[in-house]
């Protein structure tokens, strides 16, 4: 496994967590908007055109809420796993650091020939 693969995995976990929180916030905002529309229908006199506008707005709000709720449903299991396994995630983050250091060492390594020289001729090695 390379550091890039592990980094992508950890990034996906963090992104799922962010997506879940944002979707929960959006779902609540759309629930609040639904209540506003329902109260406008219940408590205010509306013309036919105003009622049609509120119905259209309600449909849009409910569609946005459904998208947010579906996102929450897909990401909540990941967030629950993250919360239950924080030590494992921290360990994977440390492993990522170790992998990056190892890859850095491999990038910068230099081999110094012990016997062969640049010209291809070997050094004089004393007989045993």
């Amino acid at each position: 496994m390379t550091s890039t693969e592990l980094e992508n995995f950890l990034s996906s976990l963090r992104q799922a967590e962010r997506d879940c929180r944002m979707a929960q916030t959006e779902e609540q905002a759309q629930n609040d908007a639904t209540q506003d529309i329902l109260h406008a229908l219940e408590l205010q006199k509306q013309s036919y055109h105003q009622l049609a506008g509120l119905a259209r707005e309600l449909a849009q709000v409910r569609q946005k809420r459904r998208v947010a709720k579906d996102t929450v449903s897909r990401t909540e299991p990941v967030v629950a796993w993250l919360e239950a396994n924080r030590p494992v995630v921290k360990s994977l983050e440390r492993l990522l650091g170790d992998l990056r250091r190892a890859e850095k060492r491999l990038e910068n390594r230099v081999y110094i020939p012990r016997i062969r020289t640049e010209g291809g001729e070997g050094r004089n090695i004393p007989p045993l």
Side-chain angles (χ1 to χ4, degrees), residues 44-105:
Q44 299 169 357
K45 288 234 179 229
Q46 308 287 339
S47 71
Y48 174 80
H49 294 292
Q50 289 171 325
L51 288 172
L54 286 172
R56 222 177 1 261
E57 186 180 349
L58 181 61
Q60 292 169 349
V61 165
R62 298 301 289 177
Q63 288 171 352
K64 289 178 185 176
R65 179 189 171 277
R66 172 58 46 206
V67 169
K69 190 169 182 174
D70 290 350
T71 300
V72 169
S73 293
R74 281 192 312 272
T75 56
E76 260 183 342
V78 176
V79 172
W81 184 87
L82 273 170
E83 290 171 358
N85 293 285
R86 286 287 175 197
V88 172
V89 174
K90 293 291 182 192
S91 176
L92 288 172
E93 288 169 348
R94 284 189 298 275
L95 174 61
L96 175 60
D98 293 343
L99 283 174
R100 285 179 176 160
R101 281 188 291 281
E103 289 170 349
K104 186 90 168 151
R105 279 191 308 270

Side-chain angles (χ1 to χ4, degrees), residues 16-69:
E17 193 171 29
R18 283 189 298 271
D19 289 349
C20 186
R21 301 293 181 234
M22 287 176 25
Q24 287 170 334
T25 301
E26 180 66 15
E27 182 183 359
Q28 185 58 50
Q30 296 311 317
N31 283 335
D32 294 345
T34 298
Q35 288 303 309
D36 288 347
I37 294 168
L38 293 176
H39 282 104
L41 290 169
E42 177 186 4
L43 302 173
Q44 299 169 357
K45 288 234 179 229
Q46 308 287 339
S47 71
Y48 174 80
H49 294 292
Q50 289 171 325
L51 288 172
L54 286 172
R56 222 177 1 261
E57 186 180 349
L58 181 61
Q60 292 169 349
V61 165
R62 298 301 289 177
Q63 288 171 352
K64 289 178 185 176
R65 179 189 171 277
R66 172 58 46 206
V67 169
K69 190 169 182 174

